[in-house]
Amino acid sequence: MMKRLLTSAACAAIALAAPAAAQDVAIVNATVASGDGSEPVAGSRVIVRNGTVSVVGPNAPVPANIPTIDAGGAFVTPGIVAAVTDLGLYDVGAVGASNDKSAGDARFNAALDVAPAINPSSQHVKVSRAGGVTRALVTPSHGNSLFAGQGAVIDLGADANAVMQARAFQLVDLGETGARLSGGSRTAAYVELENALREARAFAAGSWEGGEALLTRSDAAALVPVINGSQQLYVEVERAADIRNVLGLKRTYLKLDLVLVGASEGWLVASEIAAARVPVIADALDDLPASFEQLGATQSNVGRMAAAGVKVAIGRMSGGTDGHPRSAAQFAGNLVALGKVPGASGLSWGQAFATISSIPAEIAGHGGKFGVLKAGAIGDVVIWDGDPLEVDSVPSRVFIAGIEQPLDNHQSELAKRYLDLDESQLPKAYDW
Amino acid sequence: MFLPDTVRLPRAKALLMCMGGAFALSACTAAGSGEGSLKSASAADTGDTRTEFLGEDGNVPFPSTYRAYPGADTLIIPTTVFDGAGGRIDNGWVHFRDGKIVAVGGPTTAPPEVANVVDGSDKFVTPGIIDIHSHLGDYPSPSVPAHGDGNEATSPTTPDVWTEHSVWPQDPGFSRAMANGGITSLQILPGSANLMGGRSVTLKNVPSRTVQGMKFPGAPYGFKMACGENPKRVYGGRGRKPSTRMGNFAVNRQTWLDAIAYGENDDAKRDLGKETLVGVLDGDILVHNHCYRADEMALVMDMAKEMGYKVSAFHHAVEAYKIGDLLRENGVCSAIWADWYGFKMESYDGIPQNAAYLQREGACVVIHSDDENSIQRLNQEAAKAQAAGARMGVNISDADVISWITLNAAKAMGIDDMTGSLEPGKMADVVLWNGDPLSVYSRPEKVWVDGALLYDANDPKRRPVSDFELGQPGAGDVK
């Protein structure tokens, strides 16, 4: 019985995984928000050829003989890019066997690589896709070291090939978490960091001595691309003083390609962050002194950093929605809401949408390739049933690399089954 | 990204709770408390000193010392009014004086002559928002171990503990809930580590030096219970009963039987836990039961019938939509998130249509937060839940959706005769929103509690700043 079930499930998976061909599609009569920070343009068009955006604009020529969608004035945007998420790494958070976010008992840390753990069929991937999320920067969580391991850039397409870029970045925590995992103090975290980078340098130079080393061979090797700048280093940090320290690392390690993650007190050092040209993936709405490293947290953090010239995306989606990437649009909408609050610093609609589309793509090194609707970008296109940043809106159609995506999932099937409670003829178990 | 129920703990807090072995449970039970007068009504009714919650000195212990602050005779006009009871008035007005709602009117009703007129053009008025499930104060910010006062996770049943003894009134979260969420009343619950977590306390969201100064006068106490994974994990993990769901029920039922016997024995030595349980059996204390799965909720409702008490609300209730009919028939509210799911096994079947499907069945819906961040956006969460229903053809009016975060919460907390809707004689707990409260783009502009203006977006000094925040980076900043 079990075998039969497994077999049929496997067949279903294969059927679903069969990649559809990249489509050509012309979307006309659309309110196009291109994701680049500009405001939406009504009466515009998006043309996708062979999975790639070919032209965008009110006067874009519509090629003959390609499928055309009249959006009826609906919003059309690039797909949302979820920055710093555990999407695809778990089924149920509290069910350890289904959860690959962290590996506290592992022998390795920096070498950990989320790519093989990504499950493109995860319900959370499906639910996020139905929420308009088409790409994500997936990170591991900290286990036993200030180094969490290597994250990946993925797409959320209903196919077998989720990973777009494996080992895209290394994640390190240089705040309270890093201090704890290093032995109980920031003093230890910085020694751990310096030792690790020194060993990586030695490894790159061929002078690493395993017998004398504190890192495992795999971890030392994994940090080589960090010190030579070919792999980004995402640094989780909140406190203003910690942010200054992290910016200072570039004086010692010239090639570090830094990205700040969190940065609740970034507004206090915004000009320094801007001057260092280090981008930030911020928690959009943190406004509580949740810890002593976040005493200055305010929802105006993103707006103030952006006004100071910092490149800011929003990510993690912590703050009351269980971290689900589909909350990204709501969070961005809240930053627009701040524009009506005296003394607060918010973002324009276009800026806010950019924090969840083009900017995270740029930060990840994929500027112009996704998260934006312009010629040459991958055809990740979402048609919405309302204002994408409004809480009552969801996508009506989603395309990833030009391929229209299914939007069903466990939730949508439950919603259909329980549309009524009628069991007069048969139990609910037969309603599918 | 984390753990369970509730408590969307900030990272530090989640960690601490895990280290403590309790996991992040949360729970809910409610308990209101303190009567305005010293003796409780139930005491007077029954003459039974054990069920009246009287102290050894014959007085209500820890009585509310809350007093409303001064407020002006105020007219908000013209504005769009959601009255909290399912009504909507366009081009309407709201008049309050001496802390009470005097009248609510529409374009065809003459407003009174009042000196303090607030222009509500292009704005909206709702009753103060009520969160039926909060841990502000018992898991306050900063969420350091020294502040983890929500779970007395040393025994599966701790009906003797009272949440008010854990609430830190300087939690900065209270001010955020007011300024960003328009919260004027809230129930603080013990966590969900235990089957019986203790009494809750209902507060006015008005800063005070003491918890007594926040206690909602006349609110009944609540009692927090929890089904499912949390109690069996916490105690089973220590090799103790309960380690299974059947163990959960066995412990609960025996505890109720012991309480019934206690209530029948006039000579029994005073027992704080059993006093609370007898208060529940007498209907003076309202049960707030953390419970996710539909099948478990059905079992709990039968247990309540067997033992002779009533569940006021199931909290978290992610599967309530599967039994909307049963919940309606039993008169039990469902206090739920809009769309949380998937963080633990018993939350796997959560769907965003939960609230709308319950309303479709005529069951009582309350949107709750269980979270110091989400409490700032209950209006948005309600709007999300409404939209999810509409996409499946279950349409619910904006005015009814507002009742999910106002009057329905008040009903389940037993304070609906005092607040929760804009009706003459009720407390003037009022929010003026700078736009449609069901839009992501709207925020409270002014918040009144008992007629006193306690938040004004246009006046930086009319914004509470807790002791903890003074002298810290960004003290008094917009948050």
Side-chain angles (χ1 to χ4, degrees):
Chain A
M1 183 61 179
M2 181 53 76
K3 199 169 205 172
R4 251 178 57 212
L5 281 175
L6 287 174
T7 306
S8 67
C11 291
I14 289 165
L16 285 174
Q23 296 167 340
D24 291 339
V25 63
I27 304 169
V28 302
N29 191 19
T31 301
V32 175
S34 68
D36 65 0
S38 61
E39 299 305 310
V41 176
S44 191
R45 299 170 178 170
V46 177
I47 314 299
V48 176
R49 302 298 303 265
N50 295 318
T52 300
V53 177
S54 64
V55 57
V56 178
N59 301 314
V62 179
N65 304 322
I66 75 168
T68 300
I69 298 169
D70 184 336
F75 273 90
V76 172
T77 70
I80 289 170
V81 179
V84 183
T85 174
D86 48 25
L87 193 58
L89 295 180
Y90 74 105
D91 294 302
V92 176
V95 174
S98 83
N99 186 335
D100 292 316
K101 296 180 195 178
S102 66
D105 297 329
R107 281 179 287 182
F108 307 101
N109 43 69
L112 301 174
D113 171 6
V114 298
I118 303 276
N119 176 14
S121 302
S122 157
Q123 287 298 331
H124 307 304
V125 170
K126 295 181 180 183
V127 167
S128 299
R129 183 196 303 141
V133 180
T134 57
R135 308 262 158 184
L137 317 182
V138 179
T139 70
S141 300
H142 292 276
N144 58 18
S145 159
L146 77 173
F147 291 104
Q150 302 168 87
V153 180
I154 69 166
D155 73 62
L156 275 64
D159 58 59
N161 306 310
V163 177
M164 179 184 187
Q165 182 189 5
R167 298 174 297 283
F169 52 88
Q170 173 71 235
L171 183 71
V172 65
D173 191 301
L174 289 174
E176 291 181 1
T177 299
R180 175 175 55 79
L181 292 171
S182 300
S185 166
R186 285 174 172 82
T187 58
Y190 275 88
V191 178
E192 285 282 346
L193 177 72
E194 289 185 24
N195 178 73
L197 297 182
R198 189 184 313 120
E199 288 195 31
R201 214 173 239 171
F203 194 96
S207 58
W208 183 79
E209 296 290 344
E212 299 291 314
L214 296 174
L215 301 190
T216 66
R217 172 177 293 276
S218 296
D219 293 323
L223 289 171
V224 169
V226 170
I227 55 156
N228 69 24
S230 62
Q231 184 186 63
Q232 290 183 306
L233 183 64
Y234 283 28
V235 186
E236 291 192 296
V237 69
E238 305 285 355
R239 192 167 78 177
D242 292 336
I243 293 170
R244 287 196 183 97
N245 285 336
V246 171
L247 297 178
L249 290 174
K250 289 185 74 163
R251 288 194 290 271
T252 310
Y253 305 97
L254 303 177
K255 292 183 177 171
L256 288 184
D257 187 358
L258 296 173
V259 176
L260 301 180
V261 177
S264 293
E265 293 190 346
W267 65 276
L268 290 165
V269 288
S271 58
E272 294 162 63
I273 300 171
R277 298 180 179 278
V278 171
V280 177
I281 298 172
D283 296 317
L285 301 179
D286 281 7
D287 64 0
L288 284 162
S291 61
F292 277 87
E293 59 187 355
Q294 295 172 272
L295 294 177
T298 167
Q299 294 185 20
S300 291
N301 186 36
V302 169
R304 289 173 186 172
M305 286 194 289
V310 179
K311 183 189 287 284
V312 191
I314 63 175
R316 293 206 290 202
M317 304 308 149
S318 62
T321 49
D322 207 40
H324 283 295
R326 66 178 173 184
S327 302
Q330 179 188 2
F331 279 39
N334 271 277
L335 298 180
V336 179
L338 293 178
K340 285 202 291 180
V341 178
S345 301
L347 298 176
S348 71
W349 195 101
Q351 285 179 310
F353 197 82
T355 66
I356 57 172
S357 55
S358 65
I359 296 177
E362 289 171 14
I363 289 174
H366 295 276
K369 279 170 65 182
F370 61 84
V372 66
L373 293 179
K374 69 173 196 181
I378 298 170
D380 297 348
V381 186
V382 179
I383 306 175
W384 298 81
D385 68 2
D387 173 351
L389 300 186
E390 212 15 304
V391 278
D392 61 359
S393 303
V394 293
S396 51
R397 302 176 78 166
V398 174
F399 298 82
I400 296 179
I403 300 168
E404 183 152 20
Q405 299 293 316
L407 302 180
D408 60 319
N409 51 60
H410 181 62
Q411 293 191 344
S412 62
E413 294 304 303
L414 283 165
K416 278 189 251 175
R417 170 174 284 183
Y418 287 96
L419 189 53
D420 62 54
L421 297 179
D422 180 14
E423 290 188 311
S424 57
Q425 302 302 314
L426 276 173
K428 272 292 166 196
Y430 296 83
D431 185 358
W432 56 279
Chain B
M1 333 211 85
F2 295 117
L3 306 177
D5 324 326
T6 53
V7 189
R8 251 212 73 94
L9 301 166
R11 290 177 295 154
K13 184 188 289 177
L15 172 73
L16 295 168
M17 298 183 75
C18 292
M19 290 169 71
F23 243 92
L25 319 163
S26 61
C28 355
T29 309
S33 139
E35 301 280 305
S37 63
L38 286 182
K39 293 226 173 187
S40 77
S42 68
D45 292 348
T46 67
D48 177 348
T49 52
R50 260 195 278 104
T51 65
E52 304 154 351
F53 326 132
L54 300 185
E56 295 295 326
D57 62 357
N59 293 324
V60 171
F62 318 103
S64 170
T65 57
Y66 170 79
R67 295 291 178 271
Y69 282 85
D73 188 354
T74 300
L75 177 69
I76 309 173
I77 187 170
T79 193
T80 304
V81 181
F82 289 120
D83 68 7
R88 173 187 176 130
I89 304 171
D90 293 306
N91 297 307
W93 51 265
V94 176
H95 177 214
F96 50 91
R97 183 177 60 215
D98 298 331
K100 304 290 186 195
I101 303 292
V102 178
V104 177
T108 59
T109 316
E113 290 288 325
V114 169
N116 183 37
V117 175
V118 175
D119 181 4
S121 309
D122 303 321
K123 297 169 188 171
F124 289 67
V125 172
T126 67
I129 307 304
I130 300 173
D131 190 359
I132 195 173
H133 193 124
S134 173
H135 295 287
L136 292 181
D138 67 1
Y139 281 117
S141 300
S143 56
V144 296
H147 276 167
D149 288 317
N151 273 306
E152 182 54 46
T154 51
S155 167
T157 58
T158 56
D160 52 333
V161 304
W162 295 20
T163 305
E164 64 204 67
H165 301 144
S166 278
V167 170
W168 184 45
Q170 299 294 345
D171 184 349
F174 289 114
S175 67
R176 312 296 194 270
M178 176 189 291
N180 295 331
I183 300 288
T184 57
S185 302
L186 66 172
Q187 174 169 242
I188 313 301
L189 295 156
S192 55
N194 300 347
L195 296 166
M196 296 177 171
R199 290 196 197 189
S200 69
V201 64
T202 292
L203 304 176
K204 301 288 287 195
N205 192 17
V206 175
S208 174
R209 291 170 291 155
T210 66
V211 71
Q212 295 94 319
M214 299 178 78
K215 283 176 73 173
F216 194 119
Y221 276 104
F223 182 55
K224 169 69 176 286
M225 295 184 67
C227 314
E229 294 180 19
N230 290 358
K232 78 188 186 92
R233 180 182 64 242
V234 171
Y235 295 99
R238 301 175 194 173
R240 292 183 61 181
K241 198 175 183 181
S243 68
T244 60
R245 284 182 160 86
M246 59 188 172
N248 285 352
F249 275 85
V251 174
N252 274 327
R253 293 173 73 215
Q254 189 61 54
T255 306
W256 284 119
L257 290 174
D258 293 349
I260 291 168
Y262 173 82
E264 291 166 350
N265 179 1
D266 291 340
D267 299 324
K269 181 185 167 207
R270 197 170 166 215
D271 181 303
L272 288 176
K274 291 193 176 71
E275 275 186 2
T276 292
L277 296 171
V278 169
V280 171
L281 293 165
D282 286 349
D284 298 325
I285 297 179
L286 307 178
V287 171
H288 294 270
N289 204 136
H290 155 126
C291 211
Y292 284 72
R293 260 173 35 185
D295 55 317
E296 262 183 307
M297 288 186 261
L299 290 168
V300 168
M301 287 188 281
D302 273 358
M303 175 169 67
K305 284 175 192 159
E306 178 195 18
M307 297 299 167
Y309 70 93
K310 185 176 181 310
V311 178
S312 186
F314 285 116
H315 289 227
H316 308 340
V318 300
E319 290 191 5
Y321 66 93
K322 297 183 181 179
I323 52 164
D325 47 358
L326 257 184
L327 292 161
R328 178 194 63 239
E329 289 157 14
N330 284 274
V332 181
C333 293
S334 299
I336 56 178
W337 299 288
D339 58 4
W340 290 28
Y341 81 100
F343 46 92
K344 61 195 303 201
M345 197 60 230
E346 60 195 2
S347 73
Y348 196 67
D349 280 2
I351 64 172
Q353 289 82 10
N354 196 12
Y357 283 11
L358 285 163
Q359 181 95 9
R360 178 201 68 208
E361 294 299 316
C364 164
V365 178
V366 181
I367 301 292
H368 72 5
S369 81
D370 189 21
D371 181 272
E372 66 278 19
N373 293 296
S374 193
I375 193 173
Q376 303 176 45
R377 295 182 276 282
L378 282 185
N379 55 316
Q380 296 175 28
E381 299 303 303
K384 271 195 286 190
Q386 175 191 32
R391 284 193 289 277
M392 294 301 290
V394 179
N395 294 299
I396 296 156
S397 73
D398 291 352
D400 281 336
V401 169
I402 292 296
S403 73
W404 293 350
I405 52 175
T406 55
L407 187 59
N408 287 9
K411 283 179 183 167
M413 293 158 68
I415 55 173
D416 54 307
D417 56 339
M418 294 178 276
T419 190
S421 61
L422 301 175
E423 296 176 72
K426 282 196 173 182
M427 293 167 167
D429 298 340
V430 180
V431 182
L432 175 67
W433 300 83
N434 67 11
D436 182 347
L438 297 178
S439 165
V440 75
Y441 302 123
S442 302
R443 292 290 176 98
E445 182 176 307
K446 291 182 169 61
V447 179
W448 292 266
V449 181
D450 286 306
L453 181 62
L454 296 181
Y455 173 73
D456 185 348
N458 297 306
D459 177 1
K461 297 297 284 186
R462 191 62 65 155
R463 178 184 300 157
V465 177
S466 92
D467 289 357
F468 178 77
E469 299 192 89
L470 285 180
Q472 306 277 22
D477 197 357
V478 288
K479 298 291 184 181

